[in-house]
Amino acid sequence: MTIRQEFICIACPIGCSLIATKEGGNISVAGNRCRIGIQYAIKEMTDPRRVLTTSVRVYNGGNYKMMSVKTAEDIPKDKMLPCLKEIKKLDLQGCYNVGDILIEDVLCTGVNVVATRGVVL
Amino acid sequence: MKKIDLIIIGGGPAGLSAAIKAREEGIQDILVVERNKILGGILNQCIHNGFGLHVFKEELTGPEYAHKLIERAKELQIPFLLETMVLDITPQKQVKLLSTNGVETIEARAIILAMGCRERPRGAINIPGDRPSGIFSAGTAQELVNMRGLKIGKTAVIVGSGDIGLIMARRLTLEGMDVKAVVELMPFSGGLRRNIAQCLDDFNIPLHLSHTVTKIVGKERLESIIIAAVDENRNPIPETERLIECDTLLFSVGLIPESELAKAAGVALDKRTNGAIVDNNLQTTVEGIFSCGNTLHVHDLVDDVTFEAYEAAVSAKKYLQNNTKSPTTVNVPVVVSGGVRYAVPQNITDISQELKLKFRVGAIYEGANVNVFFDNEQVYSKTKKILTPGEMEIVTLSADIIAKLQNVKEIRIDVK
C-alpha cells in the first residue's frame, strides 16, 4: 500500500512543499531543498512534533512579572495542549535565568520546559 | 556639547547588532539609545521559536535571540541608555535626548538609525462600523498576552495574514481563545508558508483569502463582524456577506518603517519602502547617517536584520576612519521593473565591494526570471521556483561584476 502526504516544511522560512510517499517500510521525500526537509517529512508522517512556547507569571519583587518559556526540544503534537496545562500550573517565585529548567521531563516526553527570558529583581 | 563618535538609535536587534559589530570593528566611542526599559526591542514579545538559524546556527525564541545579543553587547562593554527617547536629530548630527535626567543634546560624528517599524492601524485600511473595545493591532495583542499576561477576549477573528497575525492566531488558541478565522484581502497570504502550516493548519483555523471585513458591530464590546469575499478589484461582493460572532478583532495589516527621526534629520525617504534612501554602504542622503533593519525596510527575518546591521556598522567605521564621505567613485541609481516592488539599496556609490541587492515582488510569481541589467547589459539571471510578496529576496553581485559599474547610468532589477 502506498500512502502519499504533502507537508509544508517548517524547519526554515523558505517553507518547501514536501511530498512524502510511504511504500511498505520505506518513506521517500521529494520537494525538499536540504536534508532537514527529508527528516521533517519523515517525522511529520510518523511522529509529528512541535516546540511549544508560552509565557508564565512569576512572583518577583512584590508583583507578578511575565517570563517566556519553551519546551527545550520538540514534543509530540498531540501533547501540546496537555503540556501547556502543566506549564500553566507552575507557581513560580523569585529570579530566573535564560535556560533554567522549570519542569523536568514534562508529561514523560523526555523534554524539559525551560525559561527563554530571565526574570530579575 | 558632548561629542560621541557613533550614536546608535534603538536597542532592538538592529541597534544591538550594529553596536556589537561596530565595537568588534574597533569603534570605541559608542552610545546605544533605547526608549524602552529593556534592550531587545520587539524580540522580547516574540516568544515563539524560529529565530537565529542563520546568525547563531540554532533555533531560538525571540527573547533568547535578544539575550544572546545583549550578553555580547555587555561583554564588549557597550554603553547604552534606557528609557531615553530621541526627540530630534539635525542634519549636523546633533541628537536631542529626553530621559528622566531631562533633555540633553549630544553631537555624533556618525549615526546609525535602528528604530524599527510600527504597525499599520485599523484607520489605515478604512473598515466601517462601530468603535467598541476588543479591537487591537496584532502586535499590541502580542504585548498584552505575552508581556503582561492579560486575557484579551474569548473569541477572535484576525484580519490580515502577515506573520504576526498568523503567530497570534496560534498564540490566542493556546491561551484558550477560539480563533474563528483569519481574513486576508489578497488572494495569497503575506506570511511565511511555515507559519500557515504550524499556526493555522495545526489548529484547523480557516484562512479566508480574497475576503475583507465590511462591518464591525458592537456597543461597548465588539459583538460581531461581517466579512465578504472580494472581486478582482478588491471590492466586496454583497451576496457573499456573512456574520461572525466574536469579541476580539486583531489587525495584522502591515508594518511601516519608523522614519520620523530620519525625516527630521533631512534624510530623503523612498515612497515604496517608507524608509530611507541609502547607497550600498547603507548611508542615507545625509552624510554620516546610516540606516539598517526595519527602519530601512521591513524584514521577514531577524537574522537578515542582524546581517544588515553588521553592514551598517562596517560602513560607519569606514566613514569614521576616513572622516569624510565614503569614497564616491560612482553614483548609479537602482531602478525596478516588472514585478519588483522595491529594491534596497537605491543607489550604488562604492564599487569596491560585492553588492547584496534586496528586493520584494508585488504579487506571487512562479517560475519567474530574476534579471539584473547594467543599462542594457544583462549581468545576472536566475529562475526562481516561487517569489511571494511575503518573502524578501537577495541577489548577490560579486565585486568583479560591481567593478564594471564605472560607466553605467543605471542598474535595473526585473522580475518576469
Side-chain angles (χ1 to χ4, degrees), chain B residues 168-405:
Chain B
M168 282 312 291
R170 171 177 63 184
R171 188 74 194 106
L172 295 181
T173 306
L174 288 175
E175 285 299 316
M177 283 180 75
D178 178 13
V179 178
K180 292 196 164 170
V182 175
V183 178
E184 170 61 56
L185 180 66
M186 305 302 283
F188 50 82
S189 164
L192 298 172
R193 287 156 57 82
R194 68 167 178 183
N195 284 337
I196 294 178
Q198 62 182 344
C199 298
L200 300 188
D201 298 349
D202 271 7
F203 300 97
N204 301 314
I205 300 167
L207 171 60
H208 300 303
L209 297 173
S210 298
H211 273 67
T212 190
V213 178
T214 56
K215 202 173 178 194
I216 290 171
V217 183
K219 273 190 183 142
E220 297 293 319
R221 179 77 191 194
L222 179 65
E223 290 160 17
S224 63
I225 61 164
I226 293 172
I227 69 166
V230 296
D231 61 22
E232 59 274 19
N233 298 319
R234 296 183 212 166
N235 291 318
I237 305 165
E239 52 270 30
T240 64
E241 279 193 338
R242 64 193 173 92
L243 183 137
I244 303 180
E245 283 182 11
C246 58
D247 65 7
T248 305
L249 187 62
L250 261 50
F251 283 96
S252 173
V253 290
L255 301 167
I256 309 167
E258 181 71 67
S259 290
E260 296 307 314
L261 289 173
K263 255 190 250 172
V267 166
L269 301 184
D270 182 328
K271 284 196 186 93
R272 290 160 301 192
T273 60
N274 290 306
I277 292 173
V278 291
D279 65 16
N280 57 327
N281 285 315
L282 300 178
Q283 183 165 238
T284 67
T285 53
V286 177
E287 201 185 300
I289 300 185
F290 302 82
S291 180
C292 61
N294 282 351
T295 195
L296 178 57
H297 60 125
V298 175
H299 294 63
D300 320 314
L301 300 182
V302 70
D303 297 75
D304 289 336
V305 167
T306 288
F307 289 131
E308 192 171 275
Y310 288 169
E311 282 180 52
V314 170
S315 299
K317 189 228 175 176
K318 274 195 279 181
Y319 172 82
L320 286 170
Q321 257 180 353
N322 297 332
N323 203 16
T324 164
K325 195 165 182 168
S326 323
T328 302
T329 39
V330 294
N331 190 4
V332 186
V334 176
V335 300
V336 301
S337 64
V340 182
R341 193 160 64 82
Y342 76 73
V344 172
Q346 292 88 346
N347 280 301
I348 309 306
T349 55
D350 184 346
I351 57 168
S352 66
Q353 56 190 357
E354 69 162 33
L355 170 66
K356 283 196 165 66
L357 201 53
K358 296 161 187 173
F359 73 95
R360 231 178 249 277
V361 289
I364 290 184
Y365 291 86
E366 281 183 54
N369 283 320
V370 179
N371 297 314
V372 179
F373 300 90
F374 287 1
D375 292 332
N376 289 320
E377 187 199 348
Q378 185 168 334
V379 296
Y380 176 94
S381 182
K382 196 171 182 184
T383 306
K384 295 289 275 188
K385 226 166 152 187
I386 188 155
L387 294 168
T388 76
E391 287 173 46
M392 187 181 88
E393 298 287 332
I394 301 178
V395 165
T396 306
L397 300 176
S398 69
D400 289 348
I401 295 178
I402 292 304
K404 291 188 202 162
L405 270 174

Side-chain angles (χ1 to χ4, degrees), chain A residues 58 66-70 72 94-102 113-120, chain B residues 38-39 43-44 47 58-72 74:
Chain A
V58 181
M66 296 304 291
M67 179 168 77
S68 52
V69 307
K70 70 171 183 182
C95 296
Y96 292 88
N97 291 317
V98 176
D100 280 359
I101 295 172
L102 307 170
V113 175
V114 298
T116 57
R117 181 176 43 238
V119 170
V120 291
Chain B
I38 50 173
L39 292 169
L43 285 171
N44 286 303
I47 64 167
E58 57 178 313
E59 188 165 30
L60 303 167
T61 64
E64 290 172 308
Y65 192 105
H67 179 73
K68 281 191 180 279
L69 292 179
I70 293 166
E71 287 298 298
R72 181 70 184 137
K74 285 185 176 161

